[in-house]
Amino acid sequence: MGLLAIPKPQADAGKAWPAIVIGLFVAFGGVLFGYDTGTIGGILTMDYWKTQFSTGYINPKGELDVTPSQSSAIVSILSAGTFFGALGSPFLADYIGRRLALIISTGVFCLGVVLQTAATAIPLFLAGRFFAGFGVGLISALIPLYQSETAPKWIRGAIVGAYQFAITVGLLLAAVVDNATGKRQDSGSYRIPIAVQFAWAIILVAGMLVLPETPRYLIKKGDTPRAARSLGKLRRLAPDHPSIVAELDEIRANHEYELSIGQASYLDCFRGPMIKRMLTGMGIQALQQLTGINFIFYYGTQYFKNSGIENAFVIQIITSVINVVSTLPGLWAVDKFGRRPLLLWGAVGMCVGQLIVAVIGTTTTGQDSNGNVLVFNEPAQKASIAFIAIYIFFFASTWGPLAWVVTGEIYPLKIRAKALSIATASNWLLNFVIAFITPYLVDYGPNYANLQSKVFFIWFGACFLCIAFVYFYIYETKGLSLEEVDELYTSCSSARKSSSWRPSVGFRERQRAGEAHPVESNEKSGAVVHSDSSAA
């Protein structure tokens, strides 16, 4: 077990388990995210739902259905809502706090669930999807922010990565509930899976009512006594314990240093060397979507049915189980081996998996004159499911959780909420684009690309880009505090050299040096200020 354990540094006073438990509980919000995105794939294939919401369109099988463009709008409108929700998260997070912002965001999500549950036609269903997405977008930016600001640095990667684990659990629960209600011939077929989301929302709100605000937010607001009590609660130490005082001094010194070079706006996220961090966060979130994972979980049930798989719902449950189980080794490995190696080898594994699925699907299937898929080699088609599972393993153990870990820790406190919202919005923007264009790329008919399995070549190309992106842009931040990560980006010019970088001096020591040697400190500060306002 010693080989597998992630040891707590001896110098860290207090207990780590309270912060770990709190971080893992907050990750539960990922269930809302995963369940809401996962449930729609099954709903779109339910016979009752298709008949109820159809506007008269007949699909190639001669059944009442929604049109591909309506299907595209229904799936993608959630991502449109999440995009705007993610961008709006800093206005809540920076003004009322991370904790209260999460509670309000869950309320917005519940409004969307009410509208979807009540809907009997597409317009109200679309409105519900948008508001649910707006709430999910807020939550998806706020949870990694809360976790990063409360987690001990030596296990921060696993705690923030647990958010992705919760997302995979939500996807699995959605597949199970859809499978349980899909054969019903009444409104319960779709209303039950949608209404179940109230349970997840109630659990999250109940917990957030008793959890502490993050100490870094309280320092940002100038409330040092509450910050000390909050950090003491996280570490199970008295607010005046020397370790608590020292950690708060470092956080406050860092924040004061950032404020000394001006207030932050959205434009500041793209100025000077900050643009490198923004491109890193936006890039990793966008590429996470372009790997093709949400094609499998949004349209997987339909794709498996079209590919000749008889029990497509069961296949969707199996892929969801693999997604959940495969996330666990990633949560352990992120703080054991680091961010760069996991992301690099994960990209390689995804690349190989997507290429094989594309080749098998293209060479073993065809279509008749009505667009129905013909399977020429059933064993080969089943083998492609195995390689989809292999792809999911590599995604779930690397890019799934680590995209949230990286974006949660690379930004300084002054712009953290704003920068994280932009990075998360990038995820949702690509999510929206993929959800919207997929029916046009895959489906048969006039003005449709009819790619079918060839769409996996697109995901293969994106996974190949992931390899180069990690090599040139991802810094190794394992074991560093958020303040040390800031120093890393300031003093290390190349991501390839970051693995051997070690922190030198903290902001507290820099501040003391400034008091002792004001002239010399000003010169050094000038150098740093210049670094923050010039191109990377």
Side-chain angles (χ1 to χ4, degrees):
M1 289 299 292
L3 180 65
L4 297 177
I6 302 172
K8 174 190 172 186
Q10 293 184 352
D12 285 13
K15 304 292 185 183
W17 68 263
I20 294 172
V21 170
I22 288 172
L24 293 178
F25 175 81
V26 173
F28 183 83
V31 173
L32 278 70
F33 176 168
Y35 188 94
D36 201 40
T37 56
T39 193
I40 193 63
I43 288 174
L44 288 174
T45 66
M46 293 177 181
D47 293 336
Y48 181 88
W49 186 90
K50 290 190 293 185
T51 302
Q52 175 68 43
F53 286 81
S54 175
T55 53
Y57 170 75
I58 305 295
N59 65 24
K61 295 181 179 178
E63 303 167 339
L64 278 173
D65 203 347
V66 294
T67 67
S69 60
Q70 289 170 332
S71 172
S72 170
I74 289 167
V75 174
S76 62
I77 193 69
L78 178 92
S79 301
T82 54
F83 173 77
F84 291 109
L87 286 180
S89 63
F91 299 103
L92 289 176
D94 281 342
Y95 290 101
I96 66 172
R98 286 46 164 152
R99 187 179 70 90
L100 286 177
L102 275 168
I103 294 172
I104 291 174
S105 302
T106 308
V108 175
F109 171 79
C110 287
L111 171 62
V113 173
V114 169
L115 296 178
Q116 288 179 83
T117 305
T120 56
I122 289 177
L124 186 59
F125 198 78
L126 285 172
R129 292 276 294 166
F130 179 84
F131 281 106
F134 194 87
V136 168
L138 290 166
I139 291 167
S140 66
L142 292 168
I143 286 177
L145 178 64
Y146 186 97
Q147 291 174 310
S148 294
E149 292 189 346
T150 56
K153 64 182 180 181
W154 57 276
I155 199 170
R156 185 178 63 244
I159 292 175
V160 178
Y163 176 52
Q164 176 66 21
F165 177 73
I167 293 172
T168 66
V169 171
L171 288 166
L172 174 60
L173 291 172
V176 171
V177 177
D178 280 350
N179 186 52
T181 66
K183 301 297 184 183
R184 292 176 62 124
Q185 295 303 314
D186 57 27
S187 63
S189 60
Y190 70 91
R191 282 178 169 158
I192 291 172
I194 293 171
V196 163
Q197 295 173 101
F198 285 119
W200 319 140
I202 290 169
I203 292 170
L204 181 62
V205 169
M208 294 310 301
L209 289 173
V210 298
L211 293 186
E213 183 56 82
T214 75
R216 284 176 171 85
Y217 169 76
L218 294 170
I219 288 292
K220 182 180 175 74
K221 303 305 286 186
D223 195 343
T224 301
R226 279 187 65 200
R229 291 195 297 272
S230 173
L231 189 59
K233 188 174 183 179
L234 293 169
R235 304 287 187 265
R236 283 297 186 268
L237 293 170
D240 58 353
H241 190 279
S243 177
I244 298 295
V245 173
E247 188 170 348
L248 286 178
D249 282 347
E250 178 68 12
I251 296 170
R252 183 169 53 249
N254 182 16
H255 182 54
E256 290 172 355
Y257 169 73
E258 291 173 358
L259 290 179
S260 71
I261 54 178
Q263 295 291 326
S265 66
Y266 273 102
L267 286 177
D268 289 321
C269 298
F270 295 93
R271 287 180 175 145
M274 281 302 147
I275 195 168
K276 177 190 268 188
R277 302 198 211 184
M278 284 310 308
L279 290 177
T280 300
M282 293 168 67
I284 195 170
Q285 291 284 5
L287 285 169
Q288 186 204 55
Q289 292 301 307
L290 285 172
T291 61
I293 190 66
N294 278 329
F295 169 77
I296 294 170
F297 290 108
Y298 279 150
Y299 296 104
T301 306
Q302 288 176 306
Y303 173 78
F304 294 140
K305 277 188 173 181
N306 292 341
S307 299
I309 305 297
E310 291 184 8
N311 204 332
F313 269 119
V314 173
I315 297 295
Q316 191 75 347
I317 291 174
I318 292 171
T319 56
S320 296
V321 169
I322 294 168
N323 196 25
V324 172
V325 174
S326 300
T327 305
L328 294 173
L331 299 185
W332 166 76
V334 62
D335 288 309
K336 191 73 173 179
F337 301 114
R339 283 61 163 159
R340 274 178 66 84
L342 259 66
L343 286 168
L344 186 64
W345 290 109
V348 171
M350 291 191 298
C351 202
V352 173
Q354 295 283 34
L355 178 61
I356 293 174
V357 172
V359 171
I360 291 176
T362 303
T363 56
T364 63
T365 61
Q367 288 176 295
D368 62 20
S369 58
N370 294 321
N372 295 307
V373 175
L374 304 174
V375 179
F376 304 132
N377 189 330
E378 191 170 328
Q381 191 65 13
K382 290 180 179 178
S384 73
I385 302 298
F387 282 102
I388 287 176
I390 291 171
Y391 156 76
I392 292 173
F393 167 78
F394 279 104
F395 175 87
S397 59
T398 58
W399 278 76
L402 265 67
W404 300 106
V405 172
V406 169
T407 53
E409 64 190 12
I410 64 174
Y411 303 116
L413 179 60
K414 185 171 70 171
I415 66 165
R416 187 171 296 141
K418 293 181 177 68
L420 189 54
S421 77
I422 295 170
T424 306
S426 302
N427 179 297
W428 288 114
L429 178 62
L430 267 294
N431 191 305
F432 168 77
V433 170
I434 291 168
F436 185 80
I437 68 172
T438 293
Y440 297 99
L441 290 174
V442 176
D443 287 357
Y444 172 86
N447 302 318
Y448 294 97
N450 192 29
L451 292 178
Q452 299 299 329
S453 294
K454 296 183 186 70
V455 74
F456 284 93
F457 283 114
I458 297 176
W459 314 140
F460 158 73
C463 292
F464 192 80
L465 285 177
C466 290
I467 298 172
F469 180 82
V470 173
Y471 185 77
F472 289 108
Y473 279 95
I474 297 298
Y475 279 68
E476 184 52 72
T477 53
K478 176 173 74 80
L480 301 178
S481 70
L482 296 181
E483 289 68 39
E484 289 167 345
V485 171
D486 199 33
E487 184 190 351
L488 164 66
Y489 271 91
T490 302
S491 60
C492 183
S493 61
S494 172
R496 288 164 287 174
K497 300 176 182 177
S498 61
S499 298
S500 59
W501 182 88
R502 296 293 179 270
S504 56
V505 61
F507 285 95
R508 189 160 40 114
E509 287 74 13
R510 187 182 302 175
Q511 197 174 55
R512 288 172 179 170
E515 293 169 357
H517 306 285
V519 176
E520 181 183 356
S521 174
N522 287 337
E523 292 172 357
K524 290 182 179 178
S525 297
V528 174
V529 172
H530 176 72
S531 172
D532 281 345
S533 58
S534 60

